[in-house]
Amino acid sequence: MASTVSIGYGRLLRTRGAWTFLLPGFAARQPFAMLTISIVLLVQHTTGSYGAAGAAAAVTGVSMALFAPYGGRLADRYGQRAVLVPGVLVHGFSALTLTALALADAPLWALFAAAVPTGASVPQIGPMVRARWGVKLKGSPLMTTAAAFESVTDELTFVVGPLLATALCTAVNPAAGLVAEASLTLIGGLLFAAQKSTQPQTATAGHARVEHASALRVPGVRVLVVAFLGIGSVFGGMQVSLAAFSESIGEPGLNGVLYGTFAAGNMLSGLVCGAVAWKTAPQRRLLVGYAALALTASGLWAAHSALLLAGLGLLVGMCIAPALITGYTLVEGLVPAQARTEAFTWLTGAVALGQAAAVTVAGQLEDRLWSGAGFLVPLGGTLLALTTLLALRSRLVAHPRGRTVARGVGHRVPLTVD
């Protein structure tokens, strides 16, 4: 195994100007983790149906996954501020409209109609923060540390957000979670958009003639999308299957402990992964890390005790963060700076889409087969993604900068992408 060199988070956080986008970025991304649970709790309260609540939340998730990359592309072309300001206004209005319709006992189709723009306008703060790190670090070994830091921040967001939304919906009012989500999105998004000095240069800047082609035209990005779909299948499959397992043994409260253990493994390995400067090529790290993820996920379906499932969940979580971090790190070499926000949103959207599909399939398996059958979804999803990675691994190798990588996103002339 290649040796590593220790590198601290302190150096990363001392990057000039980093805190100007980190603090508002954290505030603006927090509502992202509140949205789904807030919709579920509100719609279930007003309709009395978890099926209707899950369907409304799924429409929002799928809409976000499909529209997010286009928002990222617009941000690369016109600047993050130009996309964020109208985006958070639309999201706030749509989320409040959805709230009002639910409280008015509107038919399910009306909730779906409001859920579409609510999901489509979710601000992609995480990818935008990652793009700003790319501007600040410009190929530094700290890019891996930054990717790890963002992965841990995402995990922290998904720990705090659902807890906050649940507390508001249960202790204040069933609509309080979604109202708070809309308000925080508006306030945090506008504060983040105000940090103009750290946003990446737009694709229209400079003197080179540029075609505004999608980052998805880069072959390596398409391979990473498949890998991230597999990661999403793990998140979705674990959510449903852990809840079903806890219910089957008569300990529904154990679900939080089991999922918390899974999340803790993710956060722990993310911190460790970002604390070193790896000498191994990122392509190799991704293949090794993903193979470990598929291996650990393959044993979940056979776990018949809470202790064993907690241990396996911890291992699965520890394998997810390195795959996520390395995937985001690879984007820096594969995609020019002027298209990275879109590339990051494709990956984020792939996780969300994989998660939405996994929740649906795992739920059906749990209902129709045996308790624990939903764990077959992470197994299948990661094995299919690993097969794709192995078959197309050559596409993850970055071409020399200023030459073929530029053509991958439509540049007509050679450019130095950073």
Side-chain angles (χ1 to χ4, degrees), residues 7-417:
I7 192 166
Y9 285 96
R11 183 180 169 194
L12 175 72
L13 297 178
R14 288 194 297 271
T15 301
R16 184 185 299 273
W19 286 103
T20 63
F21 63 85
L22 282 182
L23 288 179
F26 181 78
R29 75 208 299 178
Q30 193 63 53
F32 182 80
M34 300 172 62
L35 182 60
T36 298
I37 188 64
S38 296
I39 292 174
V40 168
L41 293 175
L42 172 61
V43 177
Q44 192 280 328
H45 173 78
T46 58
T47 65
S49 169
Y50 278 105
V59 169
T60 304
V62 172
S63 179
M64 187 278 289
L66 294 178
F67 282 90
Y70 298 100
R73 186 178 179 184
L74 290 174
D76 286 326
R77 183 172 183 178
Y78 298 109
Q80 294 182 0
R81 177 185 173 88
V83 174
L84 267 176
V85 173
V88 296
L89 292 173
V90 170
H91 182 78
F93 177 79
S94 301
L96 293 177
T97 300
L98 177 58
T99 303
L101 289 172
L103 292 176
D105 296 322
L108 193 57
W109 65 264
L111 300 184
F112 289 169
V116 170
T118 300
S121 59
V122 170
Q124 298 300 307
I125 301 297
M128 290 182 178
V129 171
R130 287 181 168 91
R132 293 186 186 220
W133 275 123
V135 171
K136 285 291 182 182
L137 300 177
K138 293 185 179 179
S140 161
L142 283 171
M143 276 303 302
T144 298
T145 307
F149 181 81
E150 290 305 309
S151 178
V152 173
T153 302
D154 285 339
E155 281 301 308
L156 180 61
T157 296
F158 276 93
V159 169
V160 176
L163 289 177
L164 176 59
T166 301
L168 289 170
C169 290
T170 55
V172 181
N173 185 278
L178 198 51
V179 171
E181 187 276 338
S183 302
L184 287 173
T185 297
L186 184 61
I187 296 171
L190 291 177
L191 288 174
F192 183 79
Q195 311 307 313
K196 294 185 292 184
S197 63
T198 56
Q199 74 172 351
Q201 187 180 35
T202 63
T204 55
H207 302 289
R209 185 181 177 185
V210 177
E211 288 182 0
H212 303 294
S214 171
L216 201 60
R217 288 181 59 183
V218 179
V221 172
R222 296 196 293 270
V223 177
L224 290 174
V225 165
V226 175
F228 277 55
L229 281 168
I231 292 173
S233 76
V234 177
F235 284 117
M238 291 289 281
Q239 287 175 348
V240 171
S241 302
L242 288 177
F245 174 83
S246 302
E247 189 71 31
S248 71
I249 63 173
E251 296 287 346
L254 193 61
N255 179 42
V257 176
L258 292 174
Y259 198 82
T261 303
F262 165 69
N266 197 349
M267 293 183 67
L268 177 64
S269 65
L271 286 169
V272 173
C273 188
V276 294
W278 297 90
K279 292 184 177 180
T280 308
Q283 297 83 4
R284 183 179 179 185
R285 297 204 312 269
L286 180 61
L287 290 173
V288 172
Y290 216 97
L293 174 60
L295 179 63
T296 53
S298 67
L300 289 169
W301 69 273
H304 299 297
S305 72
L307 185 61
L308 179 58
L309 193 54
L312 282 173
L314 179 68
L315 291 176
V316 172
M318 292 177 68
C319 293
I320 282 182
L324 280 172
I325 291 165
T326 308
Y328 282 122
T329 302
L330 280 167
V331 169
E332 185 205 2
L334 293 169
V335 182
Q338 296 91 339
R340 285 183 194 150
T341 304
E342 183 198 350
F344 288 136
T345 55
W346 275 112
L347 301 188
T348 303
V351 174
L353 191 59
Q355 183 174 342
V359 167
T360 303
V361 176
Q364 291 295 319
L365 292 177
E366 290 289 347
D367 287 341
R368 298 174 183 272
L369 300 179
W370 67 89
S371 177
F375 286 123
L376 294 174
V377 174
L379 185 159
T382 53
L383 285 179
L384 287 173
L386 177 61
T387 301
T388 302
L389 283 174
L390 290 172
L392 303 176
R393 60 187 179 276
S394 63
R395 299 187 180 185
L396 297 174
V397 178
H399 295 290
R401 296 194 175 200
R403 196 170 67 216
T404 54
V405 70
R407 291 199 302 269
V409 292
H411 292 270
R412 292 185 179 275
V413 295
L415 293 175
T416 300
V417 298

